[in-house]
Amino acid sequence: MAINMASRDKDGFPSLSRCHGCLVSPDRREVVVFVSRSRTDPLLRDLANGAPVAVVFCRPLTHETLQLKGERARLRQLELDEWERMRAAGRAFAAESLALGFPDYFSNLIMASSSTEATAVVFTPVAVFEQTPGPKAGTRLEPRS
């Protein structure tokens, strides 16, 4: 899964980062996304200042894509079991990249810093959008009743 996160500063200038995995809380109310600290300074600063967050989740093999938006996010250290989840997400991304014909070093470069210095970004989604290319792209998805 390819995951990207974006926000903005107080002047509306965008900040963004590649993410290294995610998880959904057991109650399905929060999403936790893992990012590299060293590659994400502007984004982390914007989120710490209360800026909104948008995260795009895409399956490279199929282009199936969802976007989640949150009004605020909080930052925290990764919990012990989350390190392995992050490494597993990196392996899954590498497998999809290889299936698409990209060389090993492609995914290794993208996921490299996640092995030693990462942080968790936690947010509550307030909106979900279909972003798979096609006629439904941009459609807001509503919760099932």
Side-chain angles (χ1 to χ4, degrees):
M1 170 112 17
I3 307 169
N4 293 293
M5 181 184 310
S7 190
R8 60 172 169 72
D9 67 14
K10 63 180 175 45
D11 297 320
F13 190 79
S15 55
L16 56 109
S17 178
R18 165 85 54 195
C19 303
H20 301 291
C22 70
L23 64 90
V24 177
S25 66
D27 66 5
R28 302 179 62 90
R29 294 180 187 267
E30 291 186 319
V31 175
V32 182
V33 183
F34 313 122
V35 296
S36 161
R37 263 189 198 285
S38 64
R39 295 182 182 184
T40 317
D41 283 339
L43 175 65
L44 295 177
R45 181 185 59 243
D46 293 343
L47 295 175
N49 287 331
V53 60
V55 182
V56 175
F57 301 83
C58 178
R59 293 288 318 268
L61 288 171
T62 64
H63 299 292
E64 293 172 276
T65 307
L66 289 176
Q67 180 186 54
L68 279 60
K69 292 188 177 190
E71 294 172 355
R72 299 183 68 90
R74 71 180 192 282
L75 310 178
R76 67 163 173 76
Q77 292 183 341
L78 268 68
E79 296 174 2
L80 195 54
D81 63 321
E82 292 173 340
W83 288 99
E84 179 50 36
R85 182 179 293 269
M86 184 177 63
R87 286 188 285 275
R91 290 189 299 270
F93 178 79
E96 285 205 34
S97 297
L98 285 170
L100 289 168
F102 289 96
D104 281 338
Y105 68 83
F106 172 78
S107 56
N108 290 337
L109 285 172
I110 289 175
M111 301 307 239
S113 64
S114 67
S115 63
T116 58
E117 48 79 45
T119 195
V121 177
V122 183
F123 71 100
T124 299
V126 296
V128 179
F129 296 88
E130 171 67 47
Q131 295 295 18
T132 303
K136 293 184 179 181
T139 303
R140 184 177 178 141
L141 301 176
E142 299 300 329
R144 295 180 202 183
S145 46

